Amino acid sequence: MKPDLFQSPDYYLLDDLLSEEHKLVRDAARAWVKKEVSPIIEDFAQRAEFPKQIVKGLGEIGGFGPYIPVEYGGAGLDQISYGLIMQEIERGDSGVRSTSSVQSSLVMYPIWKYGNEEQRMKYLPKLATGEMIGCFGLTEPNYGSDPGSMITNYKDMGDHYLLNGAKMWISNAPFADIAVVWAKNEEGRIHGLIVERGMEGFSTPETHNKWSLRASATGELIFDNVKVPKENLLPNKSGLGAPLGCLDSARYGIAWGAIGAAMDCYDTALRYSQERIQFDKPIGATQLQQKKLAEMITEITKAQLLTWRLGVLRNEGRATTAQISMAKRNNVDMALTIARDARQMLGGMGITGEYSIMRHMMNLESVVTYEGTHDIHLLITGMDVTGFPAFK
Ligand code: TGC
Ligand code: FAD
């Protein structure tokens, strides 16, 4: 793979909107990605293997629980710093950002928000350093966009719960130490349970042959009469709103992350267009390639502004689920379009692993699907503006 020469586009001088802390956090994450992710990621993606050696470093740059309070091992940062870390990590690879998103927003967040103090102290510090890795089981083989219809369930057996069912498409599942699993009780109410590797009847087979997110491990969670201790139930929130609350935080991070992938594709295509000579001039001197680059930087700049504003609203506790949906949907679609155009700008070289673009493009096919598909987010916006839910 080519050396990482990335230079971040900032067309509207948005750095002026960031605090010194934001810039320090962002620059540290950027330097870490250049040193630890860029040199190895293509090889791991080609081999469809998660690079476990980066876990410790991810913890050190605040990639695990950036906004979780320091008393629980988190970095205690604000929402814009959290977003900037996700942007930089996904600039390296969406699969690495997935590991960070799942650990932070889908495992640490529910334990912090819905767990009790014993659960927080038991799990959060180890999750923050990466000593422990978690995964999040909501999607089932027959229920993806409609998680409320899940059939995974548990029964109260007096001294423990008995868990049965299956989850599918679970990031980090094959090597996770714990899983935050969403299941229905005997009344049909959804609760979160912490299931630990090694519990009898719990297995995590890996999903193979993905063309996307190849450097992230994906798997199933199978529960065959798993005895879950009663103290592993998350006591402080139940109902579908509990997992959806975690998704708000993860989707917000993805909105920033997608900008990172888009910036990397744009930056690579821009440099290539200045160096690649055809018909005795750089391809960047042709109108057609300039149109692509001009549209890319326009869309990146719009997404940066939208997402920075969303971060401010989240810091003030005013961001709505529908606003987060709009940003996730817009930014991932924007990044996917840019990745496709950038790939074309590199001609034949665009399909090789010499450059990051095709890997980003394939990764983004997962990103546009998980955490709510492109269409589901459109329906969330539609419901928000009309008042009519059109899902059912
Ligand atoms: P609906 O009737 O609308 O809502 C059920 C209850 O939930 C409440 N609620 C929320 N609460 C907190 N935060 C939110 N974002 C919420 N959205 C809704 C709602 O108020 C209601 O509460 P109550 O008290 O009235 O019961 O639910 P629905 O069944 O009609 O479904 C709505 C829909 C389709 C929007 C939702 O289910 C959805 O978002 N579907 C998409 C599923 C999804 O995003 N799955 C993601 C799985 S995790 C994943 O992909 C991880 S990938 C990670 C990685 O690798 O990075
Ligand atoms: P479906 O829900 O079957 O949707 C199929 C198509 O129908 C989509 O285009 C969808 O937009 C459309 N559709 C559905 N309902 C409607 C409607 N009402 N109106 C119009 N169109 C509709 N899940 C987890 O719980 N944890 C994870 O860690 C996790 N990681 C993932 C990692 C990867 C690599 C992938 C690919 C997925 C992951 N997921 C995870 C699952 C992901 O959240 C689901 O794939 C996603 O929510 C869509 O569900 P589905 O695949 O079952 O598609």
Side-chain angles (χ1 to χ4, degrees):
M1 194 178 161
K2 294 271 184 203
D4 184 350
L5 302 172
F6 176 69
Q7 286 184 359
S8 169
D10 183 14
Y11 204 72
Y12 262 43
L13 311 183
L14 290 170
D15 262 21
D16 293 355
L17 299 174
L18 303 179
S19 68
E20 285 311 308
E21 181 177 74
H22 293 148
K23 286 186 258 190
L24 277 173
V25 166
R26 191 248 341 253
D27 293 348
R30 183 169 296 167
W32 178 80
V33 167
K34 274 203 178 192
K35 183 160 174 277
E36 304 293 340
V37 178
S38 300
I40 60 149
I41 196 65
E42 179 63 28
D43 185 40
F44 277 85
Q46 292 280 0
R47 289 191 279 116
E49 190 181 328
F50 173 70
K52 285 192 180 154
Q53 72 264 36
I54 64 172
V55 164
K56 188 163 174 282
L58 265 176
E60 286 166 0
I61 60 159
F64 296 146
Y67 52 81
I68 301 284
V70 286
E71 68 207 83
Y72 300 120
L77 296 169
D78 77 349
Q79 290 290 311
I80 291 184
S81 286
Y82 160 43
L84 288 164
I85 293 173
M86 295 298 116
Q87 171 187 287
E88 294 307 316
I89 295 175
E90 191 148 3
R91 208 278 299 170
D93 189 78
S94 304
V96 178
R97 198 269 307 133
S98 267
T99 294
S100 179
S101 290
V102 169
Q103 182 94 335
S104 302
S105 293
L106 302 183
V107 178
M108 296 177 76
Y109 179 90
I111 293 173
W112 173 45
K113 284 286 181 187
Y114 314 148
N116 57 34
E117 198 55 20
E118 291 76 49
Q119 292 166 336
R120 291 185 196 118
M121 293 314 292
K122 179 174 177 188
Y123 297 107
L124 293 179
K126 287 183 180 166
L127 289 162
T129 58
E131 187 185 335
M132 187 179 263
I133 292 287
C135 67
F136 174 90
L138 180 65
T139 306
E140 300 192 351
N142 292 325
Y143 301 102
S145 299
D146 177 20
S149 297
M150 69 173 68
I151 51 177
T152 297
N153 66 88
Y154 64 93
K155 289 192 170 62
D156 188 338
M157 307 302 281
D159 62 342
H160 64 270
Y161 298 120
L162 198 64
L163 179 66
N164 277 290
K167 300 288 176 179
M168 194 179 176
W169 296 117
I170 308 304
S171 301
N172 299 351
F175 57 83
D177 303 290
I178 61 168
V180 171
V181 176
W182 301 95
K184 286 180 176 167
N185 67 11
E186 285 147 287
E187 287 78 50
R189 182 93 182 151
I190 294 171
H191 285 261
L193 298 155
I194 302 169
V195 179
E196 300 188 10
R197 185 171 295 283
M199 287 181 176
E200 206 177 326
F202 174 43
S203 57
T204 60
E206 184 156 2
T207 303
H208 295 290
N209 298 332
K210 291 180 298 166
W211 284 114
S212 173
L213 229 64
R214 287 170 64 80
S216 160
T218 313
E220 295 168 61
L221 304 176
I222 314 276
F223 314 106
D224 181 9
N225 286 320
V226 181
K227 285 184 183 175
V228 181
K230 284 200 153 172
E231 64 263 25
N232 284 26
L233 183 96
L234 297 175
N236 294 333
K237 188 158 169 116
S238 64
L240 187 58
L244 290 178
C246 308
L247 295 183
D248 274 358
S249 175
R251 290 167 177 172
Y252 166 74
I254 291 172
W256 280 96
I259 297 174
M263 290 197 309
D264 198 50
C265 293
Y266 165 77
D267 179 63
T268 305
L270 175 61
R271 192 169 305 109
Y272 193 85
S273 79
Q274 290 162 336
E275 292 167 358
R276 176 69 175 166
I277 310 289
Q278 290 292 289
F279 301 99
D280 300 324
K281 63 177 183 182
I283 59 168
T286 66
Q287 288 187 353
L288 281 176
Q289 305 314 319
Q290 287 188 8
K291 176 175 186 291
K292 291 193 185 84
L293 290 165
E295 285 175 352
M296 286 181 201
I297 191 62
T298 305
E299 291 307 314
I300 287 171
T301 304
K302 282 155 68 179
Q304 286 171 326
L305 280 161
L306 177 82
T307 314
W308 173 81
R309 176 64 185 154
L310 185 63
V312 171
L313 290 175
R314 274 184 70 82
N315 276 341
E316 294 170 354
R318 293 198 292 148
T320 66
T321 292
Q323 287 168 338
I324 296 166
S325 278
M326 180 184 282
K328 192 267 183 185
R329 180 175 184 273
N330 178 77
N331 293 7
V332 179
D333 189 55
M334 172 277 297
L336 200 43
T337 304
I338 286 177
R340 288 170 180 153
D341 283 347
R343 200 222 57 72
Q344 288 192 49
M345 286 186 66
L346 268 68
M349 289 310 293
I351 71 153
T352 73
E354 283 291 295
Y355 295 89
S356 55
I357 296 176
M358 185 110 174
R359 177 167 45 79
H360 282 305
M361 190 181 102
M362 296 194 301
N363 282 342
L364 289 162
E365 291 291 345
S366 286
V367 183
V368 79
T369 300
Y370 65 35
E371 300 268 7
T373 66
H374 188 66
D375 288 340
I376 288 295
H377 287 297
L378 177 131
L379 293 176
I380 291 172
T381 307
M383 175 171 72
D384 195 50
V385 297
T386 66
F388 303 123
F391 306 104
K392 294 169 186 154

